[in-house]
Amino acid sequence: MKLSYEGLAEREQWLATGTALPEYDWKTMCQATEEAPVWVHFGAGNIFRGFIAGLSQRLLNKGLSESGIVAAETFDYDIIDKIYAPHDSMTLMVSLKPDGSTEKEVIASIAKGVKADSSDASQWDVLKGIFENPKLQMASFTITEKGYALEDMQGNLMGVVKADMEEGPAKARHAMSVVAALMLARFQAGAAPVALVSMDNCSHNGEKLRNSVLAIAKAWCENGHAPAEFLGYLEDESRASFPWSMIDKITPRPAEVIEKQLEELGIEDMAPVITSKKTYIAPFVNAEIPQYLVVEDRFPNGRPKLEEAGVYMTTRETVNMTERMKVTTCLNPLHTALAVYGCMLGYESIASEMKDGDLKALVEHIGYDEGMPVVTDPGILSPMDFIHEVVDQRLPNPFIPDMPQRIATDTSQKIPIRFGETIKSYMADDALDAGSLTYIPLALAGWLRYLLAVDDEGKEMAVSPDPMLEMLQTALADVKFGEPESGRGKLHDILSNPVLFGVNLYEAGLGDKVEDMFCQMLAGPGAVRGTLRKYL
Ligand SMILES: NC(=O)c1ccc[n+]([C@@H]2O[C@H](COP(=O)([O-])OP(=O)(O)OC[C@H]3O[C@@H](n4cnc5c(N)ncnc54)[C@H](O)[C@@H]3O)[C@@H](O)[C@H]2O)c1
Ligand SMILES: O=P(O)(O)OC[C@@H](O)[C@@H](O)[C@H](O)[C@H](O)CO
């Protein structure tokens, strides 16, 4: 059995494997999408294929939409060539239940995958045509936190961004310039309204997307690449809206054990690839069953009936509260703490880390004791129920093949959101004392110790990719494992940098505490574990 339009003709065989199939014809859907391209998604990776495309499939199955989604990739073209093209953009979704069984479904709601490459007219013209089409209602995004960043750690514009600003839309390379260029095409073709919806784990993700697109557009207006009215179009929320959202579904990298299960069922060519840009991707996606998507209902050109697919459509305020609940308290900070300590303590599975009493206690203290006091109940989801589900069911699920090494990717981009927001809330509240925090600083010190690329036994350890890795490792170059005093006085520039932590940690009363914890973790083999135990 092959995962493709022709392959699905072997319907009985597919059904015999327990796989649910789309209840519509893929080619008919592709035709409808060509005529009415309602939805484009940027970032053709795993969460999109396993969650967002699944929402579109629900609407297609129920007859609530006729068009599917066009996937656009600005960064890693291998995804399109190696995963989308051979499988007619279809995904085999494997949902992992806590009892070890799986649910399987072929998701066929993606009409095509396109490279958002301004230097390749055959691909660019397709996307441009879609943005020029007044029927386009929404473009959504899962391009990782770093996809939105225009500046480096010193707050300077990145080289590619500077070049894009100078050279204009015809040569757009950075994801934000690509979006600005396509929006300029839409503006010039009649300025129809549209919603641009970030679905990444960033605080105020809609605002982040808006600010970055506007910064590019402003530079183009100033440099004569776009008329001044273009800025007015982007700034008018009744024409170009940037709804905020909260998304949640633990979607690990594709696991070998799942590949084997699928091949044993006779499903061919399921092997994962690691692309040259380090995307871990396969024709299948494996993920947990729980999923939450909360979206600000601000769509000036209409939208698919997302609420019929289980999406919470609500106000910006409610999105903000659910996002703070998940990303700054109940899930993602716990994930990052497990990521850095898990790597140093030799773990390759989040579920096994949750069996380690010290690590379980660490995340419980971070979530329940330090995060919860500054969380507001959003009303639509209870923070206490949510964190219980995360700590007691989702993270310990042994059948979710999630690895600390995946979560440790790009940690520098996540720290200000996952921990900095809570520290800021303590600083803003006269009744609370940020300096009294213990477990959040322990997570921050653990991250800095992790950056040394030496595990708790003193052995060399691989560190996951991070855009700031080189700069941070250079700053820590004189710190030596086995020499706790070598850490003294080396962290000041790092700990005082609000780009890294959201705040100056010395102003929060936490700089010296983090330095102390970090130095203790340098003492020698077992010092990371020992420091954890000392504070827990
Ligand atoms: N995987 C999850 O559990 C999960 C859950 C909720 C939210 N998310 C959000 O979705 C994002 C993507 O997760 P994923 O599982 O799809 O990861 P993935 O590695 O499968 O895909 C990442 C996607 O982002 C693109 N990308 C990476 N760096 C980029 C850059 N600098 N500019 C533009 N595009 C870039 C890649 O090309 C790819 O399309 C996460 O960073 C997070 O914000 C993920
Ligand atoms: O996807 P990232 O890289 O922003 O973060 C890694 C994980 O914490 C994240 O993917 C979670 O699995 C997800 O946020 C759960 O909804």
Side-chain angles (χ1 to χ4, degrees):
M1 273 164 288
K2 285 193 189 294
L3 179 66
S4 64
Y5 184 66
E6 274 186 16
L8 291 194
E10 293 186 312
R11 200 175 162 77
E12 294 312 315
Q13 277 150 282
W14 275 100
L15 291 175
T17 66
T19 305
L21 298 179
E23 293 164 27
Y24 51 91
D25 178 63
W26 178 73
K27 281 204 170 157
T28 311
M29 180 278 292
C30 290
Q31 186 57 39
T33 310
E34 189 89 32
E35 284 158 20
V38 166
W39 188 349
V40 171
H41 182 89
F42 290 89
N46 288 301
I47 185 85
F48 163 61
R49 295 164 64 229
F51 185 3
I52 297 161
L55 300 173
S56 172
Q57 168 127 320
R58 284 193 199 174
L59 299 183
L60 287 158
N61 279 348
K62 288 183 181 179
L64 293 172
S65 18
E66 289 177 2
S67 302
I69 308 181
V70 174
E73 181 54 49
T74 59
F75 180 73
D76 188 347
Y77 303 142
D78 277 357
I79 298 179
I80 304 297
D81 292 332
K82 296 187 174 161
I83 299 295
Y84 279 62
H87 300 283
D88 293 332
S89 307
M90 293 181 188
T91 298
L92 180 52
M93 176 62 198
V94 182
S95 301
L96 310 157
K97 294 169 135 181
D99 65 0
S101 62
T102 58
E103 280 174 9
K104 296 182 288 305
E105 179 180 13
V106 171
I107 296 182
S109 57
I110 304 172
K112 64 175 120 183
V114 184
K115 298 174 193 169
D117 178 355
S118 61
S119 67
D120 178 347
S122 70
Q123 301 283 302
W124 187 251
D125 289 349
V126 173
L127 271 180
K128 200 162 163 260
I130 293 173
F131 270 78
E132 285 167 348
N133 192 320
K135 292 191 172 146
L136 180 68
Q137 295 180 326
M138 65 184 282
S140 47
F141 297 80
T142 49
I143 54 173
T144 80
E145 291 89 334
K146 65 183 178 298
Y148 305 88
L150 303 183
E151 295 172 354
D152 62 19
M153 194 184 142
Q154 281 76 35
N156 301 319
L157 281 182
M158 294 191 283
V160 61
V161 174
K162 258 195 211 159
D164 283 356
M165 286 176 165
E166 279 157 23
E167 293 168 27
K171 293 199 176 152
R173 282 153 291 215
H174 188 281
M176 295 298 103
S177 318
V178 164
V179 178
L182 292 167
M183 286 298 282
L184 179 58
R186 187 166 184 79
F187 169 75
Q188 286 166 335
V194 71
L196 303 180
V197 197
S198 167
M199 295 184 180
D200 273 294
N201 281 331
C202 325
S203 218
H204 302 184
N205 50 16
E207 186 174 87
K208 198 158 188 165
L209 172 61
R210 182 172 191 268
N211 288 345
S212 295
V213 173
L214 279 174
I216 303 279
K218 195 159 175 274
W220 285 348
C221 292
E222 283 165 6
N223 295 340
H225 293 299
E229 294 76 19
F230 175 47
L231 211 52
Y233 167 65
L234 288 179
E235 283 173 338
D236 179 354
E237 287 254 1
S238 70
R239 297 199 288 168
S241 73
F242 294 82
W244 297 13
S245 75
M246 182 283 261
I247 185 166
D248 184 21
K249 182 178 185 84
I250 297 177
T251 308
R253 293 167 177 168
E256 214 174 290
V257 54
I258 303 296
E259 177 201 353
K260 291 220 168 75
Q261 281 176 20
L262 298 174
E263 299 215 320
E264 275 162 22
L265 288 169
I267 303 169
E268 296 164 53
D269 303 329
M270 287 290 113
V273 296
I274 304 174
T275 67
S276 54
K277 295 265 173 105
K278 294 276 176 283
T279 307
Y280 291 68
I281 197 156
F284 66 92
V285 169
N286 42 221
E288 63 174 352
I289 291 187
Q291 59 182 40
Y292 302 94
L293 181 58
V294 183
V295 179
E296 178 187 356
D297 200 355
R298 193 187 288 265
F299 288 74
N301 205 24
R303 58 166 173 79
K305 291 192 169 82
L306 296 168
E307 64 279 16
E308 298 289 339
V311 181
Y312 296 84
M313 302 303 302
T314 181
T315 60
R316 177 173 297 183
E317 202 186 3
T318 301
V319 173
N320 193 32
M321 286 189 281
T322 55
E323 182 270 325
R324 286 187 69 87
M325 174 192 82
K326 183 235 172 190
V327 181
T328 72
T329 302
C330 297
L331 197 158
N332 296 99
L334 318 191
H335 246 176
T336 292
L338 290 171
V340 295
Y341 279 100
C343 293
M344 290 190 287
L345 296 175
Y347 283 104
E348 291 193 341
S349 146
I350 292 291
S352 12
E353 288 191 71
M354 289 300 282
K355 288 194 197 140
D356 179 319
D358 295 333
L359 295 178
K360 184 161 186 274
L362 173 66
V363 298
E364 285 175 343
H365 282 306
I366 292 174
Y368 288 105
D369 300 349
E370 296 191 332
M372 272 302 180
V374 289
V375 163
T376 313
D377 188 336
I380 55 168
L381 294 167
S382 146
M384 222 20 128
D385 291 350
F386 192 89
I387 193 168
H388 282 323
E389 188 189 37
V390 168
V391 171
D392 300 333
Q393 296 171 38
R394 297 173 63 187
L395 298 181
N397 181 343
F399 301 102
I400 299 195
D402 208 4
M403 302 176 73
Q405 290 76 14
R406 169 186 84 92
I407 297 161
T409 306
D410 299 342
T411 299
S412 67
Q413 310 294 293
K414 305 172 187 172
I415 290 275
I417 296 149
R418 296 184 180 194
F419 300 103
E421 289 300 315
T422 296
I423 300 173
K424 274 190 214 161
S425 300
Y426 273 74
M427 290 169 79
D429 188 334
D430 289 342
L432 295 170
D433 173 15
S436 70
L437 294 167
T438 299
Y439 308 103
I440 288 177
L442 202 48
L444 302 179
W447 172 52
L448 297 173
R449 168 65 185 78
Y450 159 88
L451 289 171
L452 301 183
V454 176
D455 71 11
D456 198 27
E457 291 177 3
K459 291 197 220 117
E460 202 177 311
M461 170 189 83
V463 170
S464 300
D466 187 309
M468 292 189 181
L469 191 58
E470 199 185 328
M471 194 278 304
L472 287 163
Q473 287 187 328
T474 305
L476 296 171
D478 294 335
V479 178
K480 300 274 176 293
F481 177 78
E483 295 176 27
E485 286 312 306
S486 70
R488 293 272 165 222
K490 306 281 167 35
L491 302 184
H492 191 272
D493 288 352
I494 294 178
L495 298 179
S496 58
N497 189 338
V499 175
L500 280 172
F501 297 99
V503 294
N504 174 336
L505 287 179
Y506 292 97
E507 286 169 11
L510 292 172
D512 293 334
K513 192 183 269 191
V514 172
E515 183 179 302
D516 278 349
M517 291 166 164
F518 173 74
C519 290
Q520 290 170 51
M521 283 189 247
L522 294 172
V528 170
R529 172 78 71 182
T531 307
L532 262 183
R533 288 201 173 143
K534 174 177 167 189
Y535 288 95
L536 285 169

